[in-house]
Amino acid sequence: MDDFYTEVPRPLIATARDYAAGEMFPEHQHARGQFAYAARGVISVHTPRGNWLVPPLRACWVPARLSHGMRMHGAVSMHNVFIAPDAIIRMGLPPDCQVLDASPLLRQLLAEAVSVEALYAEASRAGRLMALLLDEIAAMAPLPLSAPLPQDARLARLCMALLQQPSLDSSLDAMAAQAGMSRRTFTRQFRAQTGLGFAQWRQQACLLAAITRLAEGQTVTRIALDLGYASLSAFTAAFRRVLGQTPSDYLSN
């Protein structure tokens, strides 16, 4: 996607493109880090390390040389910022994928940056805008919109199956039994390999599915029931904790 820009002697290159619902990119990698912002629609990102979901008006950071694929949920307008390795090191950008918040300032900077030519003069207004854009990207807070995969093959298979059919009804004891582990061993191994307790991982997997289904037009009530939430209010509370708004507000925005 960014091969043309690999040798451009500028720390940042910004692009914008629209994609149809369901459009996919198979696994690939970039020489630069990729900051992918969903101006419209939902983007899912998968790597050998896990899955990430980017709601509208949020972004995903994909480190340089990390193999990843993407899928569009609904019609998507994506703004990309490709960041050179030396700028990544200078700004201390993370070595792993992350879904990031996007401040109002960052959104405005992105809207301007996508019209900046690749070989902008660094001492010009465009150069200062791009420098501020890099500062703002580095300042964004991560959001818990990922489902990291364990390294253990047995655990990874179970997690992939749960991602295909996520439900809060999937119990820790049932997962441990399917993995052929005791509850204690399963709990210890799962946290060591994903950084999350199983209940938290399951909650995040359900939230990823909820956002995708909202983008596909399913109703809030149907999603809450399908994912095993005890009530619509329980689903709304979980959604609000992560995205700062109710599912209904999310849809209206």
Side-chain angles (χ1 to χ4, degrees):
M1 187 186 297
D2 68 327
D3 291 345
F4 176 76
Y5 300 116
T6 299
E7 302 302 324
V8 174
R10 295 294 182 270
L12 272 69
I13 305 294
T15 65
R17 185 176 165 187
D18 294 335
Y19 299 93
E23 194 165 347
M24 299 176 63
F25 287 102
E27 286 204 10
H28 62 287
Q29 58 180 259
H30 307 291
R32 292 173 175 246
Q34 180 183 7
F35 180 83
Y37 168 72
R40 177 182 60 157
V42 173
I43 307 165
S44 59
V45 180
H46 63 271
T47 81
R49 303 174 190 173
N51 295 339
W52 287 259
L53 198 75
V54 189
L57 308 183
R58 275 79 173 183
C60 185
W61 167 246
V62 182
R65 300 300 183 191
L66 177 63
S67 182
H68 64 284
M70 290 184 168
R71 181 182 177 90
M72 312 304 157
H73 303 275
V76 169
S77 294
M78 188 193 309
H79 295 176
N80 281 306
V81 182
F82 295 106
I83 305 177
D86 57 344
I88 293 172
I89 295 170
R90 185 174 76 252
M91 300 305 296
L93 293 171
D96 299 311
C97 265
Q98 289 187 358
V99 177
L100 300 171
D101 205 355
S103 66
L105 173 58
L106 177 56
R107 297 171 195 171
Q108 290 300 316
L109 291 169
L110 286 165
E112 289 285 330
V114 295
S115 62
V116 171
E117 62 182 12
L119 279 171
Y120 55 85
E122 295 187 83
S124 67
R125 174 185 179 275
R128 291 188 291 273
L129 183 150
M130 299 300 267
L132 181 56
L133 174 59
L134 181 58
D135 281 339
E136 194 66 7
I137 289 173
M140 289 301 97
L143 297 171
L145 289 172
S146 66
L149 293 176
Q151 291 79 47
D152 183 279
R154 294 170 297 174
L155 297 182
R157 282 195 297 270
L158 290 172
C159 286
M160 289 300 294
L162 187 53
L163 285 170
Q164 293 299 317
Q165 292 186 304
S167 172
L168 293 179
D169 295 330
S170 300
S171 72
L172 190 156
D173 288 331
M175 292 285 283
Q178 291 177 60
M181 299 178 179
S182 68
R183 178 189 178 98
R184 182 175 181 180
T185 299
F186 178 88
T187 300
R188 183 177 67 250
Q189 291 291 330
F190 196 92
R191 184 176 291 278
Q193 295 182 38
T194 66
L196 302 172
F198 175 69
Q200 184 182 2
W201 189 96
R202 181 185 60 193
Q203 176 83 15
Q204 290 187 191
C206 286
L207 188 58
L208 301 188
I211 293 169
T212 301
R213 295 179 189 189
L214 285 170
E216 293 170 351
Q218 294 186 25
T219 67
V220 175
T221 300
R222 176 185 171 187
I223 293 168
L225 294 175
D226 283 352
L227 295 178
Y229 285 89
S231 65
L232 185 57
S233 61
F235 171 60
T236 298
F239 197 96
R240 190 202 295 268
R241 275 196 301 272
V242 174
L243 290 173
Q245 58 187 169
T246 68
S248 297
D249 288 340
Y250 173 90
L251 282 172
S252 66
N253 289 337

